Amino acid sequence: MTLIDTGIYRDGARLAAPPETHLTSESLVGTDDLAWIGLLRPTAAQLTELAEEFDLHPLAVEDAQKGHQRAKLERYDHTLFLVLRPAWLAGADATAASTADGVTVESGEIHVFAGPHFVITVRHADRPSLAGVRARLEANPQTLCGGSEAVLAAILDEVVDGYAPVVHGLQEGVDALEDELLRGKADPAASQRIYHLLSQVIDFQRAIGPLPDMLHGLLRGSRKYGADDEVQNQVRNVLDHALRITERADAFRALLESLLTLHSTLVTQEQNEGMRRMTRASLAQGEESRRLAQIQLEQGEQTKKITSWAAILFAPTLIAGVYGMNFDAMPELHWAWGYPFAIALMLGLGAGLWFVFKRKRWL
């Protein structure tokens, strides 16, 4: 059943609750009574029937059929058409979200047709229920005597009051992120949480952004069409609440954008510090490599010197070893110049090797 509730009111008191919408319109003929019809996800045929019975403008009916409209206020002759975007926090209750990850804002849609003697509410979501608004107005007949403007003001008040838990949840999410970042933590995943919360704030702004202008328009219309003073006071009160909530949402968005910049700065600083640590480690490693290379170079130089002197000393030792073998059949043993020749040969080979190694800078 899309017909949630319907009532006909006279002097603030409920007279009847016709089961069909056409019976409601018929009951208003020739009277100053007020009809309030509440619908949930009506079909196109039902809206077309309502349009014929209450002379609703086709463009407004088309918007109500399609849904997914931005909040707006339009006037067609003597009928007002409003699109409201109520919002609430997903979860068990309004205090369930204490961190940025837990804040998820959901929104619904309420279309309101308000004429001189009727109010038609079309909801496209189960929340919020307007049964409480109807009950409060029925409990206060004096307020309900204000007519369709009083019902419209009460619905606006209900929608705007429903934004308070959303603001509270968003505030907790922003505070949690702010505390985390101001402690100097640069968790890379924090950017995802900031983006998530920022997207929730932007969605919330889309829902509440047009409200102040809408309420200003209602006040101008109320004065023009002579609405009850108490109704105008209530609309001004709702306007005051809407302005405060809008300002809070704007502040949330600005703060989250600043937190995003701060987070990017912290991540960049941490990355730079990591790069500096890596650079210092690389420099230390390079210095150690240079030190080891210097040691190896010095060891190589020492090895070359030792090798050079070993080669220089090896030549005389070889000659002395050859002539120290005590063989009789060695012609040089009985040669008068044999000893000087051996000494000269040893000195010459040693000097020649020293000159070669010196030229190659081994010595």
Side-chain angles (χ1 to χ4, degrees), residues 80-233:
L80 288 174
F81 175 64
L82 286 85
V83 178
L84 303 175
R85 298 300 302 270
W88 58 89
L89 289 178
D93 53 45
T95 60
S98 59
T99 65
D101 289 333
V103 179
T104 300
V105 179
E106 295 182 352
S107 62
E109 193 169 343
I110 300 176
H111 296 177
V112 183
F113 298 89
H117 300 290
F118 67 88
V119 175
I120 300 172
T121 57
V122 179
R123 289 192 290 127
H124 289 274
D126 294 331
R127 298 179 60 176
S129 172
L130 298 178
V133 179
R134 189 187 292 266
R136 286 193 297 272
L137 287 176
E138 290 180 352
N140 189 359
Q142 185 176 358
T143 301
L144 195 52
C145 285
S148 59
E149 291 88 352
V151 176
L152 185 57
I155 293 173
L156 285 165
D157 188 48
E158 176 74 10
V159 171
V160 173
D161 285 347
Y163 293 146
V166 178
V167 172
H168 177 71
L170 292 174
Q171 181 70 66
E172 288 190 345
V174 171
D175 290 344
L177 280 172
E178 189 176 21
D179 291 343
E180 178 182 345
L181 294 181
L182 291 181
R183 285 197 299 267
K185 293 183 178 181
D187 182 8
S191 61
Q192 184 176 358
R193 296 196 294 274
I194 296 174
Y195 275 121
H196 169 76
L197 191 56
L198 183 58
S199 68
Q200 301 305 305
V201 171
I202 291 174
D203 288 343
F204 185 51
Q205 282 183 310
R206 292 195 186 104
I208 66 174
L211 268 180
D213 290 339
M214 292 169 57
L215 292 166
H216 280 299
L218 277 177
L219 284 173
R220 290 192 297 269
S222 297
R223 289 189 291 268
K224 179 178 178 180
Y225 293 98
D228 186 77
D229 290 341
E230 187 60 34
V231 172
Q232 294 186 46
N233 291 335

Side-chain angles (χ1 to χ4, degrees), residues 24-47:
T24 303
S25 61
E26 291 172 359
S27 300
L28 295 178
V29 177
T31 71
D32 290 330
D33 296 342
L34 172 68
W36 182 358
I37 300 173
L39 302 173
L40 175 63
R41 300 187 186 95
T43 63
Q46 290 170 323
L47 284 176

